[in-house]
Amino acid sequence: MASHLTAASSSSCAQLIDWQGQPAISLRAPDGASALILLQGAQILSWQRPGGQEQLYLSDQAVYATGQPVRGGVPVIFPQFENRGPLPRHGFARTTRWTLEYATASRLDALAVLALQDNDATLALWPHTFGAELTVRVSANRLDLELAINNSSLASFEFTAALHTYLQVDALAHARLDGLHRLRYQDNVRGTEQIEIYETLQTTGEIDRVYFDAARELILSDGGRRRRISMVGFHDVVVWNPGPERCAMLADMPTEGYQHMLCVESAVIGAPIALEAGAEWVGRQSIEYLEP
């Protein structure tokens, strides 16, 4: 497993560890904030503030196996969102091994850069050469993510993408999401398209919505906890929770798991990114814990 660490990444802030039989990176800032990143999928499994307060939801029944998606954290969705195309659901980035290119720490934060290049397996599914980088920056109250896609082929290609962020909540019934008022959304539970009429979104059951042209600041309130979600480059926002009935059918999630998570995902879905040969696209998502 040591071959996945480069000489440039030999920083004490990033340690290669074994997590449930899979190689992962433990990233720690000087102030004690930390992130756990699975090399498969460059998937963030944990983001903790100093003192150990977890901010992400990770199922305790998640499956850790080569080529299998992990339920929770922040899966990287590329080059296809959900079943909106011919590829396997949510594309291949989340189930492919990435490499740690670099890690470093400053006085205030720690940063890691992970990379994915096309290979025989990706080319068999999607005939384009590309480079992908995920930059993870963790500090006392922030998790900053940057997804960069480079088109290294000779022709343009299109893709959709998302940072499928499972945010931990103490109780779904107490969670409030502000910032989506008056946006157009596709309701995948009801099969309709509507305009959001409520200033605050609340749910106690299944929700599966894509909000379009939603590049604005969101606030997730959860009891006494508030988190600000902002994005650049991503145009859309997905809000998802399986609700009690669907959750009971998910083998990799406890029956009551839906009560303790809400996915708020920065995404590009409605208008796929058309990337010319040699060009690069960058999308950023920041989650900031707001002190009371």
Side-chain angles (χ1 to χ4, degrees), residues 33-66:
S34 66
L36 176 66
I37 311 165
L38 204 65
L39 285 185
Q40 177 170 277
Q43 184 166 345
I44 302 168
L45 301 181
S46 170
W47 164 41
Q48 295 186 5
R49 299 178 61 236
Q53 185 184 29
E54 181 62 60
Q55 302 300 315
L56 302 179
Y57 173 83
L58 178 64
S59 171
D60 58 13
Q61 296 181 12
V63 176
Y64 299 91
T66 301

Side-chain angles (χ1 to χ4, degrees), residues 67-84:
Q68 295 296 312
V70 175
R71 178 73 65 186
V74 188
V76 177
I77 307 304
F78 170 83
Q80 175 185 295
F81 183 82
E82 228 269 330
N83 293 319
R84 299 172 182 242

Side-chain angles (χ1 to χ4, degrees), residues 50-263:
Q53 185 184 29
E54 181 62 60
Q55 302 300 315
L56 302 179
Y57 173 83
L58 178 64
S59 171
D60 58 13
Q61 296 181 12
V63 176
Y64 299 91
T66 301
Q68 295 296 312
V70 175
R71 178 73 65 186
V74 188
V76 177
I77 307 304
F78 170 83
Q80 175 185 295
F81 183 82
E82 228 269 330
N83 293 319
R84 299 172 182 242
L87 299 180
R89 185 172 182 270
H90 283 325
F92 50 72
R94 65 175 180 159
T95 55
T96 303
R97 179 72 62 83
W98 294 51
T99 59
L100 177 64
E101 294 293 295
Y102 182 77
T104 188
S106 72
R107 184 175 59 86
L108 299 176
D109 58 17
L111 176 146
V113 178
L114 295 95
L116 174 67
Q117 298 290 330
D118 58 89
N119 55 48
D120 290 344
T122 68
L123 290 169
L125 293 169
W126 195 58
H128 305 288
T129 58
F130 70 92
E133 280 191 350
L134 182 73
T135 301
V136 181
R137 184 188 300 270
V138 63
S139 61
N141 290 325
R142 289 177 64 99
L143 175 67
D144 294 299
L145 304 177
E146 178 183 282
L147 178 64
I149 306 297
N150 178 268
N151 182 353
S152 56
S153 64
L154 298 177
S156 64
F157 59 65
E158 290 191 350
F159 66 89
T160 51
L163 297 174
H164 196 318
T165 308
Y166 287 72
L167 289 167
Q168 184 189 91
V169 298
D170 291 334
L172 182 63
H174 298 156
R176 307 285 187 270
L177 184 62
D178 292 295
L180 299 171
H181 186 217
R182 296 181 179 174
L183 291 179
R184 177 175 62 93
Y185 69 89
Q186 184 178 69
D187 189 326
N188 296 314
V189 175
R190 295 175 175 81
T192 61
E193 191 167 293
Q194 300 175 232
I195 300 296
E196 182 58 71
I197 62 174
Y198 298 106
E199 292 190 3
T200 298
L201 179 65
Q202 301 174 237
T203 183
T204 57
E206 184 178 6
I207 186 170
D208 185 357
R209 297 179 181 178
V210 180
Y211 287 85
F212 300 107
D213 299 318
R216 57 172 69 171
E217 188 176 277
L218 307 177
I219 300 291
L220 177 62
S221 303
D222 167 32
R225 177 168 51 177
R226 296 170 66 240
R227 283 158 290 183
R228 176 164 49 213
I229 305 158
S230 56
M231 58 187 185
V232 176
F234 290 105
H235 309 312
D236 309 318
V237 168
V238 178
V239 181
W240 180 78
N241 184 290
E245 294 181 2
R246 286 200 62 195
C247 189
M249 295 187 289
L250 297 175
D252 59 353
M253 197 165 176
T255 302
E256 296 298 314
Y258 78 97
Q259 296 273 24
H260 304 293
M261 52 75 61
L262 183 67
C263 283

Side-chain angles (χ1 to χ4, degrees), residues 258-276:
Y258 78 97
Q259 296 273 24
H260 304 293
M261 52 75 61
L262 183 67
C263 283
V264 183
E265 314 167 29
S266 299
V268 282
I269 300 170
I273 300 296
L275 199 61
E276 297 297 322

